[in-house]
Amino acid sequence: MLWVAVSVVGLGFLVALEIAARRYGEPGPITDQAREVVFAPKSGTVLYVSMALMMVVLTWRQRFIAVGAAIGIDIVFWLVRWAAGAEMMYGNGALWVTLACGVIALTRRTGRDRVLLLKGVGLALLLVAGRKTGYTWLLITSKTRPKVLDPYVATADHALGNPSWLAGRIVAATGTVGEHVLDFVYIQLAVAAVLVALYQLRNVAAEGRFPGHHLVRTFLVIGLLGPGIYMIYPVVGPVFAYGADGGAWAVANLWPDIPPPVGIPRPMPFDEITPRNCMPSLHTAWATAIFIHSLKGPPILRFAGGFWLIATLGATLGFGYHYGADIVAGVVFTVTIEAALRSLDRGWDRRGIQLVVYGAAVFTALLASYRYLPMEMAARPWLFGPLIIAAMASVIYGYVRTTQLWDRKPEPVHLPQPRHEQQPELV
């Protein structure tokens, strides 16, 4: 019943986004995904990593067959496109195999096997649909929010020392090598997430069930809730509002050389093309989730999770896509969601409720302070800078302390051994 209800709500959400996108003359997520069954996908990598997620429910023999079929279908598509002079891209084969597994589950499987395979297919399609809905959400933010709040966030960011301007100069100093590495990390965030998720789901086929909580759940919830905040708090980022990428809409071409001067902030008009996807930083949120879930893996996975988090922070700030204030909000956002999902999995208790309420309160306070106290924050960086970092650290500390208590195994209780008294003599 729960899966049916979630599926109905998700379908309704996709239909609503499809209608909204059509109003602006653009294809919605349903049309965009259906198109990729035949035409060149936007990202073949996403389709293949989605298929990899689906294959956690298959046996090794079935996995080899699925991968071989996907590659074979892609070769046929590639040859046809090459002959027709069409756009070249791979990934159709992975989508065909994923859909075929869904058909097999409905027609050839029964009982637990059917449910398990449908869950695997649903997990893969959710990842693909999440990316498509993200594109549509970004379109909606650019069309429905003609004014942005970048001057408020840029003013408040003085309390943190304008880290985007500093990181931008550092990245520029590293040259093309540093830019290419950070760009790869930034674009291929989903690949890192799937690697961690595959480790967490490695025993699904053997155990016949999914674990109660894993990275994909956190990823999907972040992607579901984040764009809603974009609508409430539209921000485009320093490279657009204060840099060359903003063109005639930018305040001035200041990023990354000259921090913006402190002045009374006001909402500023911006174009109807640039997404208002800055507050909070969902790239930081997703990278934080990857790091949290990698901590229970082997050393190489923990190293990869830490590297991806640090490199993502460098890319989001160094490319001018986010302010420091967005980064802090993104971390608090993720830790709060992670605490809520873990509490939902293990059962709500007093510690879990307190942590989620506290994290939500800190997140709300951060956004409200950026909006209504930016001048005070810029005037007193020695006070508000440490206060912002301390607020984020307090949420992280609360999460670490609470989850350690949850993960602590109860110590075995040692009962005293009964005393063996000598048999009394018969009188």
Side-chain angles (χ1 to χ4, degrees):
M1 291 295 295
L2 177 62
W3 278 90
V4 171
V6 171
S7 300
V8 171
V9 172
L11 181 60
F13 180 67
L14 288 175
V15 171
L17 288 179
E18 183 76 23
I19 295 172
R22 293 282 180 166
R23 289 183 59 187
Y24 299 110
E26 296 289 339
I30 299 177
T31 303
D32 210 11
Q33 189 57 64
R35 180 182 177 276
E36 293 187 351
V37 175
V38 178
F39 295 97
K42 290 184 178 179
S43 175
T45 304
V46 171
L47 293 175
Y48 266 95
V49 297
S50 300
M51 185 186 73
L53 272 181
M54 182 270 298
M55 290 194 302
V56 299
V57 304
L58 304 179
T59 63
W60 279 106
R61 178 176 176 275
Q62 293 168 341
R63 292 170 185 171
F64 285 122
I65 294 174
V67 172
I71 295 175
I73 294 171
D74 265 331
I75 291 174
V76 173
F77 270 95
W78 189 88
L79 291 174
V80 172
R81 287 179 184 139
W82 176 74
E87 179 185 358
M88 305 299 292
M89 178 53 72
Y90 62 94
N92 300 88
L95 182 58
W96 276 49
V97 169
T98 302
L99 295 175
C101 287
V103 174
I104 291 172
L106 293 173
T107 59
R108 305 291 297 274
R109 299 288 180 89
T110 59
R112 290 185 59 187
D113 291 340
R114 171 185 287 179
V115 173
L116 188 64
L117 184 53
L118 284 176
K119 285 183 178 180
V121 172
L123 199 64
L125 294 180
L126 275 175
L127 185 62
V128 176
R131 192 177 182 90
K132 298 301 180 185
T133 56
Y135 292 144
T136 305
W137 262 119
L138 297 183
L139 170 69
I140 293 174
T141 62
S142 64
K143 299 295 185 182
T144 60
R145 293 295 179 266
K147 293 187 177 182
V148 297
L149 303 178
D150 283 77
Y152 293 87
V153 184
T155 302
D157 222 37
H158 282 276
L160 297 173
N162 300 297
S164 180
W165 272 257
L166 175 61
R169 293 193 294 271
I170 294 175
V171 171
T174 61
T176 57
V177 175
E179 290 182 4
H180 286 315
V181 171
L182 293 180
D183 185 62
F184 175 82
V185 170
Y186 189 84
I187 294 175
Q188 302 298 338
L189 185 69
V191 177
V194 168
L195 292 177
V196 176
L198 288 177
Y199 174 79
Q200 292 180 322
L201 304 177
R202 64 193 184 279
N203 296 323
V204 169
E207 297 177 356
R209 63 180 181 85
F210 280 83
H213 178 54
H214 49 84
L215 176 61
V216 181
R217 295 179 70 201
T218 307
F219 244 64
L220 292 174
V221 173
I222 290 173
L224 178 65
L225 298 180
I229 302 172
Y230 293 163
M231 303 291 288
I232 300 172
Y233 210 115
V235 181
V236 293
V239 73
F240 298 103
Y242 296 95
D245 289 8
W249 297 93
V251 175
N253 191 2
L254 303 177
W255 188 89
D257 300 314
I258 305 172
V262 177
I264 299 176
R266 291 183 177 86
M268 58 180 286
F270 215 78
D271 61 33
E272 295 184 359
I273 300 174
T274 306
R276 280 61 163 152
N277 60 339
C278 207
M279 179 66 77
S281 170
L282 292 196
H283 256 80
T284 299
W286 283 318
T288 302
I290 291 173
F291 174 71
I292 292 173
H293 283 265
S294 69
L295 292 177
K296 292 187 177 181
I300 188 171
L301 198 64
R302 295 197 298 269
F303 172 80
F307 167 77
W308 225 271
L309 175 59
I310 295 172
T312 300
L313 292 176
T316 53
L317 291 172
F319 292 150
Y321 298 147
H322 291 279
Y323 303 89
D326 312 334
I327 303 298
V328 174
V331 172
V332 174
F333 184 64
T334 299
V335 174
T336 304
I337 289 176
E338 184 69 19
L341 291 176
R342 287 203 60 176
S343 296
L344 183 65
D345 176 50
R346 69 181 304 276
W348 290 94
D349 59 7
R350 182 174 58 86
R351 290 191 181 91
I353 295 173
Q354 288 177 343
L355 178 59
V356 172
V357 171
Y358 178 69
V362 171
F363 180 74
T364 304
L366 287 173
L367 266 61
S369 63
Y370 300 157
R371 178 65 174 82
Y372 298 107
L373 298 174
M375 293 293 293
E376 290 77 1
M377 297 174 73
R380 300 175 180 84
W382 50 269
L383 172 63
F384 284 97
L387 191 61
I388 292 172
I389 301 301
M392 178 184 69
S394 67
V395 176
I396 297 173
Y397 173 76
Y399 176 81
V400 172
R401 186 169 179 271
T402 301
T403 53
Q404 284 179 346
L405 291 174
W406 286 344
D407 296 337
R408 184 179 299 170
K409 295 181 180 179
E411 297 181 0
V413 179
H414 297 284
L415 298 176
Q417 296 293 329
R419 293 185 303 170
H420 297 283
E421 299 183 359
Q422 295 181 351
Q423 181 70 23
E425 293 182 3
L426 296 176
V427 178

